Amino acid sequence: MRLDKYLKVSRLIKRRTVANEACDNGRVMVNGRVAKASVDVKVGDEIVIQFGNKETKVRVTDVAETVRKENAKEMYEFIS
């Protein structure tokens, strides 16, 4: 699944266009590398999202095309 779509489906970022802009501006890293929106996300990948001074680091535990809001948090686990 594309990175921008994963960020939206997992609700780490609210809208796909915002996820796309964050990737274009180099604020999203996958496995320690700056990632574009088209990067393929797999189970076990580590994603770091930077917004201002805030940094969110998560590990992908599930990849699904559609998820209910209540189950979105099961798609990742917080590292820091």
Side-chain angles (χ1 to χ4, degrees), residues 11 22 24 31 41-42 58 60 69:
R11 291 175 172 75
D24 290 344
N31 296 327
V41 176
K42 299 176 285 306
V58 297
V60 178
K69 185 177 181 180

Side-chain angles (χ1 to χ4, degrees), residues 11-44:
R11 291 175 172 75
L12 286 166
I13 297 180
K14 194 170 185 175
R15 284 176 273 146
R16 190 166 177 179
T17 55
V18 176
N20 219 323
E21 289 172 8
C23 293
D24 290 344
N25 293 329
R27 294 184 293 190
V28 180
M29 297 174 65
V30 176
N31 296 327
R33 301 176 123 182
V34 176
K36 293 188 177 187
S38 61
V39 168
D40 193 37
V41 176
K42 299 176 285 306
V43 174

Side-chain angles (χ1 to χ4, degrees), residues 32-68:
R33 301 176 123 182
V34 176
K36 293 188 177 187
S38 61
V39 168
D40 193 37
V41 176
K42 299 176 285 306
V43 174
D45 286 349
E46 290 185 6
I47 300 174
V48 178
I49 307 166
Q50 296 174 338
F51 279 117
N53 295 334
K54 182 181 173 187
E55 181 175 283
T56 304
K57 192 173 188 180
V58 297
R59 180 174 294 117
V60 178
T61 57
D62 187 25
V63 176
E65 291 293 320
T66 57
V67 173
R68 295 183 61 113

